[in-house]
Amino acid sequence: MARHLITSAIPYINGIKHLGNLVGSQLPADLYARYLRARGHEVLFLCATDEHGTPAELAAAKAGKPVAEYCTEMHAVQAEIAKGFALSFDHFGRSSSPQNHALTQAFAARLAEQGLIREVVEQQMYSVADGRFLPDRYIEGTCPNCGFDSARGDQCDNCTKQLDPVDLINPRSTVSGSTDLELRETKHLYLRQSQMKQRLSDWIESKDDWPVLTTSIAKKWLNDGDGLQDRGITRDLKWGVPAQFDGAPWEGMEGKVFYVWFDAPIEYIACAQEWAEGTGADWERWWRTDKGADDVTYTQFMGKDNVPFHTLGFPVTILGSNQPWKLVDYIKSFNYLNYDGGQFSTSRGRGVFMDQALELLPADYWRWWLLSHAPESADAEFTWENFQQSANKDLADVLGNLVSRVTKFCRSKFGEAVPEGGTWGAAEEALIAELESRLHAYEGYMEAMEVRKASIELRSLWVAGNEYLQAAAPWTVVKTDPEQAAAVIRLALNLIRIYAVVSKPFIPGAAASMMTGMKTGDWSWPTDLRAALTALPVGHAFEVPEVLFRKITDDERAEWQERFAGTRA
RNA sequence: GGCGAGGUAGCUCAGCUGGUUAGAGCACACGACUCAUAAUCGUGGGGUCGGGGGUUCAAGUCCCCCCCUCGCCA
């Protein structure tokens, strides 16, 4: 039994995430956490909302609410949706927690002690009317390059040229529309990442078992151009962790907060503190290598856009502190999921969002499709045809129907209890051999976080049951040799329990239904398959479960396709 | 423009350090079965592995050039 710390990239607070966000971090992290728990390992699985920054402030203003209140509400919404998808977080925290405030300030102070913070005075755009400094992308104006009149301060959406806000002609605030903008001096703290370049580089180079997606992105940032750059870790904002605090080793940072990319990863640790406070558990044995965390395996899940912060920024914080914090052991990253020939788009309402998905179908449908099509080697694409075909074929026909045909046949011929009689022969031995081989492959892929391949093996396990049943043909055998038919069905009923156990990480809802139908709470992993196939003894009562997965009709598919197409630009 | 990832059957994808007739699922065709959610099982057709050169006894798998897609950066 090992100890595994698992974190999913923390979703931003402003709004509900789409299926692409889900499959890029939370869902595969949940799959892994559930699998490791099922194998008897000790798991701490953490996620949280990322709440600070300008977008949250503006979203709150738009909703007409104080930002703290807005975040509290949205956190509850996201937590509820996560529950709907059966995401098994041990704690779903908040980056705005007191724990994270304290820890973020402590890290900043410590990094300063280690000589890794420097102060920089720079010029930033200030909007007099809004009474605030504005991030580059919240300033619009006419592009000096192509004349496009809605170019953003960081980049022109029309000609894609990278811009500086001061380059814009007739710049205005996108918050208020005001043109009363001026450059003002402001002081910020910079994290001296460049000092850590060699240590990071050595560390990344040593990780030859990481996904190439992870290491290639990390190496690019380390070596591109002038190499790893220092980054500002403060902003002129109100909503966030104050950069000026008691014991701060700098002055004059009043009215400024730490930038989200600095405090958000620290929430991984603070989240464990939140969890400990709520449960009385010990968080240090997960995060402090001097307090027992040296035997923890720490795995992070994220979309590729988050890789730089997890391979460079956060490790600078951890390593730079020169304190015994647990450093990540494995970073599993994902490409993007596209939607029907384009990208998911929040602003255009294009694609399916997490709350909408749950209104259409139970979580298992989405979990299965998303995980079995996870964008591991390249970007993947969601289409309704593919979703309908996969769900109907894999879940309804192959698995659901198997459960149905076995339990209903037994009920009609032997009653709703595991029947007696008959013996195993060559067919059963062949099945056991097949199952053992498939199960070992499945376990290997799950341990390696090869999500798609694991799903293929799981499906193969289901198919093996149908093959066996088809060949054994108990509906024929029962006419001449009822006892032998009973032996076949006895095995098949036990197979249902085994499927429930091994399928649970992917489809926890259906797994629970199968287990309930078999009237047992025996979730033990079928390490010994032969024994597992007799776990439900002769005479054990069961009941025919409700249809596990109804099919998605062509009409539904067409309707949904239309409904989620969004407003094309 | 630079960098990275891809371009393998109609569709979605496997193919490790080069080595017998290039694989799987879906879709399609035919057959079997009739317990089951018109479900299941079997068989089969279908690919000059983006294009062109080269290395090698042997290349989807290595090298060079080109084309296309996606992403990151300038």
Side-chain angles (χ1 to χ4, degrees), chain A residues 43-99:
Chain A
V43 170
L44 182 62
F45 176 28
L46 301 174
C47 191
T49 40
D50 176 11
E51 305 191 358
H52 295 138
T54 307
E57 282 192 333
L58 296 179
K62 196 175 170 186
K65 290 173 181 165
V67 63
E69 186 183 323
Y70 170 83
C71 287
T72 300
E73 287 177 14
M74 288 306 298
H75 177 267
V77 168
Q78 293 210 20
E80 189 61 29
I81 293 173
K83 195 183 294 177
F85 273 97
L87 301 174
S88 60
F89 307 133
D90 289 295
H91 183 67
F92 187 58
R94 303 181 58 184
S95 71
S96 62
S97 67
Q99 289 86 348

Side-chain angles (χ1 to χ4, degrees), chain A residues 8 30 43 52 64 90 112 149 184 191-192 221 268 275-276 288 310-311 332 418 441 448 468 477 490 514 533 569:
Chain A
S8 158
D30 181 68
V43 170
H52 295 138
D90 289 295
D149 66 359
R184 287 193 185 179
L191 182 60
R192 304 176 75 176
W221 281 68
Y268 290 143
W275 163 76
R288 294 287 297 210
H310 290 79
T311 52
K332 174 73 176 178
V418 177
Y468 166 73
V477 174
R490 191 164 64 248
M514 292 161 75
L533 282 169

